[in-house]
Amino acid sequence: MRFMRHAFADAADRMGRRDFIALAGSATAWTTLARAQAMPVIGYLGSESPERYASRLDAFRGGLADAGYAEGRTVAIEYRWADGQYSRLPALAKELADLPLTVIVAPGGAEVALAAKSATAKIPIVFELGGDPVALGLVDSLSRPGGNLTGVSSLSVEVSRKRLEFMREVRPGANLFAVAINPASPTSESQSRNLEAAAHSLGVELVVLRASAERDFSGMFTAVREGGAGGLVFSSDPYFAYRSNQLAALAVRDRVPAIMQSRDFPLAGGLMSYGGDFSQSHRQAGRHTGRVLKGQKPSDLPVQRVTKVELFINLKAAGALGLSFPASLLTSADRVIE
Amino acid sequence: MTPGPGPLEQHDVRPARPRTSLFGKYFRTIFAAVVAPLLIAGGSEAWLGYHDERARVNELLNAEARLAAVKIKDFVDGIRDQLGWTVQLPWSEDSGDRRRLDALGLLRQVPAVESLSLVDADGRERLFVSRIGLNRIGGGADHPAKPAVSGARSSGVWFGPVSFHDGSEPFMTIAVAGNRSSVGVAVAEINLKFIWDVISGIKVGRTGEALVLDRPGRLVAHPDIDLVLRADEAAQRPFQTLRAAILARPGEAETGRDIAGNTVLAAMAQIPGVDWSVIVKQPLAEAFGPLYTALWRTAALLMAGAALAAVLAWWLAERMIGPIRLLEDGVTRIGAGQFDHRIELATGDEFERLATRFNEMAVELSVSQERSQRISRLKRFLAPQVAELVDRTGDDRVLDGRRVEVVVVFCDLRGFTAFSARADTGTTIRVLREYYDALERVVNAHEATLINFSGDGAMVLVNAPVSRPDPALRAVTMAGDMQRGVQKLLAGWRALDRRLGFGIGLAMGPATVGRIGSEGRLDYTAVGNVVNLASRLCASAEDNQILVDLVAAQAIRSKVPLVELDARDLKGFDQPVPVFAACK
């Protein structure tokens, strides 16, 4: 053992730390693949860390199980995590594309799907996102994807405007609302336009706040509080969604009424959320993956839209903010947190 | 098998193999008798079973189709009923808020409703709520879906055509009018993808499934949601073909192909209102699975039955043919002269009786063979006519000892002993054979009995064992013929020896005749004084002379001229014996 440890230490010294880790990493990858051999291998590209993806992964594995696959027994999964650094996604996708994979799963937003698409035009890719895959250029049409991509789309991006509407119902007296946009998101442009149009219809003013990193979050809430906006409406963006807890804490700290796409936000103390049910969309992504594993071509697999859009409201948060929900929201809410 | 002696040998040829065997005939007959009813019964059962099963499957699929149609209808009716709640009270200025809450509640309750607009009595849209788009209150514009509003007003409920959003998701507009025109109309966009929950729950048999086509034949719902979302009308052609086939013969389950090309059995039910068709289909192999199982079972039973019948037929034919073969073999043996052979059969039926008959026949044959052998032995010393007589009567009791009046004829060659001493053996034998032949011919011609040849002499009996009329005359005539026959030969032989001659003596009287002899040797002969007398007369006869005693001469009387010679002293006779000579 001592000798071994020395040998490793020596090797690490000679090669430099980074190289050694890469080698060790590919060695584990190689053993995983070797063990799998007969098993098909899924490449899973995640934009965050496994911890942040935990609930999504559970849903995905549930979907795989629906299709008859169990990780480690009938299918192997090779993970690549960007740990929140979305700029690393294309490189990680490339890394996956070089492995002998049956399918690449690119869940959690347009960035992941686009990174996977840029990495390979041969390996089937199953995406999961909240936007319009046709507008994003991922597929030719929903019914006939055409290329090597297919997947699941929730309605999160499309319903951004509904968030503004709900926020206005909570703050009927306010005329100014803040909107959080992630300029790095491929859908930021369309969502901006969408929200501007909705604001016009509703007769309110918008202040657009841009945030593409965690360090921008605090200032964003401070700006809302100090700018006198009636509330903060988050555009649909996975970067925001995966940081719901952090954002909820800031909203509580700065006493800012806010609405997000992810249910995690009101569950963590935020005011409310309206967006697609991620557990459904990730589960569906798992089922889609299962079908690709069984040999169906992505070009023949229609993109599935998860039509369920859920409204969560948090009465406690409202009470803390000195607000009350109108009857219309109480009626429409899928879940009321008390 | 030891071949029998003599002429019986020709029977020891087994008959040629028959062209057809009785075994084969029996086997075929019995087999056919068992298998034919089996086949008829099995075949008709399979045929009837097929029809029953077809009817049952038909009924089952139709029931499934109706049930599926009811479930889909329930789905649509459920939405319709929910919409009905939003059109109950007339529009007034202050009812907007309550209506909005109703509409939002409906959206939450019925996930399939994508959006809902409420239209007032004037056809203006008063409220619009949506899951995706912004809500509108009191827009006041004319509702864009005019046919929906007017359709609902005229018939209460209006179902729009199915449309595919973004070329993929099926949607339908449902409009429901209240019971008065003042309460307005609710128009809802329904996401038909939600029928999947219903349709995927319908299972026909084990793997059968249901699907829904709208009026133009587009797929609205299918357990494989991708087929619906693909909205590929060309690919859905098989379903339309299937529907057309079922419509051509309503109420019947039809065989056709599904999208995957599998042969399926399908039935259909219509959903009134939306005018959709619910088709239930089941793989043909599965639908007819029990039937195929039954058919296979029947076939297997038929095979087993046929095999059993074959074994049975073989056994029965063997049982029938066994005794026949035994009989055949027995008859062959008996025919070959093996009369002690017995056919052992204890079948207790006609065969046994037949075997008994054959055995009896064998006994009789054995007896009759013994007799015929005896008779053939008689032929040695009986004239053929006599032998034949004995043969015909089948009775050799004529040879039994008795005392009868006979004529005994003796003859011999004179000077033959000296001749044989001089001549070589070949000549002696040849001369004797010619001599015997000549005598035998004459004896046979006169139906007399040649008792024996001894050297150059012979003894002949007339009137025994078979009695002949007028034996004395017959004997004299025969003696004359003998003299003539032998004298002709002597004429030839005298070149060899001039002293050769031939004399005959005959006498008539009672004598004891019959088979006389020891165990090893048996002869037919006569014993009595008359034999002595004839023998003495022969000895005293000269060449070419026939001597006749008094009894014979008296019996002949004058039918043949006789010359009385002087009485002669003969050895063994006290008195001189009167002697007659037959004239030549």
Side-chain angles (χ1 to χ4, degrees):
Chain A
M1 246 354 255
R2 266 186 64 191
F3 168 76
M4 288 289 282
R5 201 175 298 145
H6 276 291
F8 270 115
D10 290 351
D13 282 344
R14 271 201 307 279
M15 291 157 65
R17 197 172 153 72
R18 181 171 292 176
D19 289 348
F20 178 71
I21 290 169
L23 180 73
S26 57
T28 37
W30 188 83
T31 47
T32 313
L33 293 177
R35 195 185 58 230
Q37 276 196 340
M39 272 194 250
V41 185
I42 298 172
Y44 192 98
L45 185 59
S47 55
E48 301 288 341
S49 63
E51 294 73 32
R52 285 207 163 109
Y53 261 69
S55 54
R56 274 77 169 169
L57 266 175
D58 282 349
F60 174 73
R61 290 186 184 122
L64 276 183
D66 290 345
Y69 288 97
E71 182 181 1
R73 281 197 290 122
T74 51
V75 70
I77 305 182
E78 190 65 30
Y79 297 96
R80 288 294 180 278
W81 299 107
D83 290 322
Q85 293 168 279
Y86 288 17
S87 56
R88 285 180 59 202
L89 283 169
L92 292 173
K94 200 85 201 142
E95 216 174 282
L96 280 178
D98 291 340
L99 297 174
L101 300 175
T102 312
V103 57
I104 293 177
V105 179
E111 294 93 335
V112 192
L114 288 167
K117 183 179 161 64
S118 69
T120 177
K122 270 191 280 185
I123 303 172
I125 297 169
V126 175
F127 57 75
E128 186 278 339
L129 45 75
D132 178 358
V134 180
L136 286 166
L138 291 169
V139 294
D140 298 343
S141 73
L142 296 181
S143 55
R144 292 267 172 197
N148 63 325
L149 284 88
T150 185
V152 183
S153 154
S154 68
L155 293 167
S156 290
V157 167
E158 213 178 337
V159 298
S160 290
R161 57 189 174 200
K162 288 293 278 186
R163 263 174 241 136
L164 182 59
E165 188 184 84
F166 287 134
M167 185 52 83
R168 189 171 172 249
E169 284 192 44
V170 176
R171 304 295 305 271
N175 275 327
L176 181 68
F177 290 94
V179 173
I181 298 265
N182 178 3
S185 164
T187 59
S188 62
E189 283 294 309
S190 66
Q191 290 199 72
S192 291
R193 279 200 305 275
N194 193 330
L195 283 165
E196 288 291 351
H200 181 73
S201 300
L202 295 167
V204 297
E205 296 285 323
L206 286 189
V207 179
V208 175
L209 304 173
R210 293 176 206 284
S212 56
E214 290 178 12
R215 61 176 178 275
D216 304 333
F217 288 171
S218 185
M220 200 162 59
F221 280 93
T222 315
V224 174
R225 196 188 56 197
E226 290 173 356
L232 176 57
V233 175
F234 282 91
S235 64
S236 293
D237 187 77
Y239 190 78
F240 294 152
Y242 285 118
R243 285 160 184 78
S244 295
N245 294 356
Q246 200 180 339
L247 292 169
L250 287 169
V252 169
R253 186 196 71 183
D254 289 337
R255 296 175 50 79
V256 169
I259 181 166
M260 263 196 71
Q261 78 193 81
S262 168
R263 64 166 83 151
D264 295 342
F265 183 69
L267 287 173
L271 185 61
M272 53 183 172
S273 72
Y274 189 66
D277 180 351
F278 67 77
S279 69
Q280 247 195 38
S281 58
H282 280 264
R283 188 179 197 99
Q284 189 56 49
R287 290 186 192 144
H288 251 61
T289 307
R291 307 177 78 159
V292 172
L293 287 177
K294 281 176 181 159
Q296 276 191 269
K297 285 204 194 77
S299 56
D300 291 338
L301 271 177
V303 175
Q304 280 234 17
R305 276 219 289 222
V306 170
T307 37
K308 190 178 173 196
V309 192
E310 51 186 13
L311 173 65
F312 274 48
I313 57 175
N314 189 332
L315 288 186
K316 222 172 89 184
L321 292 167
L323 298 171
S324 64
F325 286 107
S328 59
L329 280 188
L330 289 170
T331 306
S332 300
D334 292 276
R335 180 142 168 220
V336 178
I337 300 152
E338 287 179 292
Chain B
M1 178 177 187
T2 20
L8 292 170
E9 246 169 345
Q10 68 195 11
H11 297 295
D12 189 39
V13 180
R14 277 183 176 272
R17 239 189 118 67
R19 273 184 301 111
T20 56
S21 83
L22 198 56
F23 178 82
K25 282 181 192 168
Y26 272 130
F27 180 82
R28 281 194 294 274
T29 309
I30 299 168
F31 183 72
V34 178
V35 162
L38 204 65
L39 280 177
I40 291 166
S44 52
E45 197 211 298
W47 174 251
L48 293 174
Y50 171 80
H51 276 267
D52 289 352
E53 188 64 19
R54 189 77 170 75
R56 195 188 66 80
V57 167
N58 198 45
E59 204 45 56
L60 197 75
L61 276 182
N62 273 318
E64 292 280 2
R66 285 194 296 273
L67 189 67
V70 166
K71 283 181 180 166
I72 305 290
K73 192 170 185 305
D74 280 352
F75 172 83
V76 176
D77 286 353
I79 294 170
R80 188 201 62 196
D81 293 347
Q82 293 282 353
L83 290 175
W85 283 101
T86 62
V87 282
Q88 293 205 348
L89 293 171
W91 283 92
S92 59
E93 287 315 308
D94 59 349
S95 64
D97 230 26
R98 192 185 49 75
R99 295 246 176 183
R100 194 161 74 95
L101 289 182
D102 282 352
L104 291 171
L106 178 85
L107 241 56
R108 198 168 69 82
Q109 284 299 317
V110 190
V113 175
E114 182 91 355
S115 67
L116 169 70
S117 56
L118 298 178
V119 179
D120 68 8
D122 302 328
R124 284 177 300 145
E125 183 187 81
R126 299 291 290 268
L127 176 68
F128 172 82
V129 290
S130 165
R131 293 179 190 280
I132 315 294
L134 295 178
N135 299 343
R136 290 191 297 268
I137 301 163
D142 271 7
H143 188 268
K146 269 195 162 169
V149 175
S150 56
R153 282 215 175 105
S154 62
S155 57
V157 184
W158 183 85
F159 298 101
V162 177
S163 63
F164 291 84
H165 283 195
D166 295 323
S168 178
E169 288 194 317
F171 277 82
M172 181 179 70
T173 305
I174 299 180
V176 176
N179 51 5
R180 296 166 277 167
S181 66
S182 59
V183 298
V185 177
V187 182
E189 275 291 290
I190 310 297
N191 189 341
L192 296 176
K193 223 164 71 169
F194 282 85
I195 303 181
W196 187 82
D197 293 334
V198 181
I199 207 90
S200 65
I202 298 173
K203 281 273 167 283
V204 182
R206 203 158 39 79
T207 62
E209 53 197 16
L211 58 99
V212 179
L213 298 181
D214 72 350
R215 193 180 358 208
R218 291 174 304 180
L219 197 60
V220 173
H222 191 281
D224 181 1
I225 190 84
D226 287 344
L227 287 180
V228 180
L229 295 180
R230 219 171 278 155
D232 186 345
E233 286 189 41
Q236 294 165 9
R237 195 83 65 215
F239 292 143
Q240 294 162 19
T241 314
L242 210 54
R243 182 169 75 167
I246 300 170
L247 280 174
R249 291 173 62 198
E252 285 290 315
E254 283 295 326
T255 308
R257 293 194 175 274
D258 67 2
I259 283 188
N262 302 316
T263 308
V264 294
L265 198 65
M268 191 177 76
Q270 290 291 121
I271 306 176
V274 287
D275 207 7
W276 291 347
S277 315
V278 177
I279 296 177
V280 294
K281 63 189 176 73
Q282 197 180 10
L284 197 66
E286 186 190 310
F288 283 149
L291 175 64
Y292 292 151
T293 312
L295 283 179
W296 274 116
R297 202 173 43 221
T298 306
L301 283 177
L302 282 180
M303 303 261 268
L308 192 69
V311 170
L312 194 71
W314 189 86
W315 181 70
L316 280 175
E318 192 60 41
R319 266 189 60 115
M320 288 216 189
I321 242 42
I324 292 177
R325 286 203 184 120
L326 217 55
L327 284 171
E328 187 191 7
D329 176 61
V331 171
T332 309
R333 280 163 185 265
I334 292 167
Q338 212 181 328
F339 299 125
D340 57 343
H341 181 79
R342 292 293 174 269
I343 301 167
E344 303 292 347
L345 262 183
T347 52
D349 53 12
E350 285 87 341
F351 285 124
E352 189 180 333
R353 216 156 67 205
L354 191 59
T356 313
R357 288 279 150 77
F358 274 123
N359 289 340
E360 287 167 6
M361 191 185 79
V363 172
E364 281 166 15
L365 276 175
S366 156
V367 168
S368 106
Q369 191 206 23
E370 230 170 84
R371 182 182 296 143
S372 87
Q373 279 173 349
R374 217 163 46 227
I375 289 168
S376 72
R377 272 203 307 274
L378 296 180
K379 283 183 179 168
R380 271 194 293 121
F381 49 86
L382 291 183
Q385 294 88 343
V386 179
E388 216 169 87
L389 176 85
V390 173
D391 205 1
R392 211 167 36 244
T393 57
D395 191 356
D396 57 352
R397 269 176 303 175
V398 287
L399 304 181
D400 290 349
R402 61 201 157 111
R403 195 161 179 81
V404 292
E405 182 90 348
V406 296
V407 181
V408 182
V409 182
F410 275 90
C411 64
D412 68 354
L413 287 172
R414 302 288 129 85
F416 186 76
T417 311
F419 166 79
S420 65
R422 280 198 310 279
D424 59 280
T425 323
T427 310
T428 311
I429 297 296
R430 181 173 57 81
V431 166
L432 271 182
R433 182 179 298 143
E434 286 172 4
Y435 167 66
Y436 287 169
D437 281 348
L439 287 183
E440 202 169 349
R441 257 198 310 280
V442 176
V443 169
N444 286 346
H446 292 273
E447 299 182 356
T449 307
L450 181 70
I451 297 302
N452 59 6
F453 290 112
S454 55
D456 55 0
M459 174 182 168
V460 178
L461 271 185
V462 180
N463 205 34
V466 185
S467 58
R468 296 277 118 190
D470 216 352
L473 177 64
R474 189 175 286 265
V476 161
T477 316
M478 178 181 74
D481 288 345
M482 284 165 117
Q483 269 300 356
R484 275 189 291 282
V486 174
Q487 285 306 326
K488 225 177 273 168
L489 289 175
L490 287 176
W493 297 339
R494 283 206 177 99
L496 300 171
D497 191 336
R498 298 191 58 79
R499 285 163 296 181
L500 280 175
F502 180 66
I504 300 172
L506 63 90
M508 187 170 171
T512 301
V513 295
R515 280 171 293 193
I516 295 159
S518 64
E519 181 110 10
R521 187 179 165 81
L522 192 68
D523 279 324
Y524 187 83
T525 191
V527 182
N529 204 31
V530 68
V531 180
N532 267 342
L533 179 59
S535 173
R536 298 291 172 232
L537 284 175
C538 172
S540 70
E542 292 163 19
D543 177 37
N544 205 10
Q545 192 174 38
I546 301 165
L547 296 184
V548 180
D549 79 328
L550 178 68
V551 183
Q554 281 167 351
I556 293 162
R557 278 182 230 113
S558 57
K559 283 171 197 153
V560 173
L562 296 175
V563 180
E564 184 165 9
L565 306 180
D566 297 335
R568 295 186 189 185
D569 287 326
L570 294 177
K571 193 179 172 189
F573 292 86
D574 303 333
Q575 305 285 319
V577 179
V579 177
F580 297 82
C583 296
K584 281 168 278 204

